[in-house]
Amino acid sequence: MIINHPLLGPRDSSEFVYLGDANLINRPNWQEDSALEQFVEYGYLRDNIAGVHRELWFHEYGDRSWLVVTRDTVSHEITEVRLASDVAIKEGR
């Protein structure tokens, strides 16, 4: 699978490490009253999506950047790749 890195261009997926759901960017606020429940859900509960899914990938054997990759988990077709920092800023993190 080829990941089109937004800064470095096309790279083989073997250069990357998959972390999981890109919603991990949205870490709960530890100061809220329901923080414990939110962190349990954040850390342990995952959807097993068959279809289009946003994922976090780390460019371990490259520039060590974090990417948000939008990929179809059935066909492995990648439709979008963005820097995770840009996604986090856009989402107000």
Side-chain angles (χ1 to χ4, degrees), residues 46-67:
R46 302 278 187 269
D47 293 330
N48 189 10
I49 301 211
V52 178
H53 186 240
R54 285 186 345 150
E55 306 168 330
L56 280 175
W57 289 75
F58 179 62
H59 197 193
E60 184 174 33
Y61 298 107
D63 69 342
R64 305 187 64 77
S65 60
W66 285 94
L67 303 178

Side-chain angles (χ1 to χ4, degrees), residues 22-91:
N23 285 329
L24 291 174
I25 291 173
N26 302 316
R27 184 176 34 221
N29 181 349
W30 64 273
Q31 295 176 321
E32 291 185 15
D33 292 336
S34 61
L36 177 60
E37 293 83 15
Q38 289 181 33
F39 271 101
V40 167
E41 184 174 331
Y42 172 82
Y44 295 105
L45 301 180
R46 302 278 187 269
D47 293 330
N48 189 10
I49 301 211
V52 178
H53 186 240
R54 285 186 345 150
E55 306 168 330
L56 280 175
W57 289 75
F58 179 62
H59 197 193
E60 184 174 33
Y61 298 107
D63 69 342
R64 305 187 64 77
S65 60
W66 285 94
L67 303 178
V68 173
V69 176
T70 304
R71 177 177 73 93
D72 187 317
T73 60
V74 176
S75 67
H76 299 293
E77 177 187 5
I78 294 174
T79 55
E80 183 179 33
V81 180
R82 297 178 59 205
L83 292 173
S85 58
D86 293 345
V87 172
I89 289 168
K90 183 178 178 188
E91 294 180 2

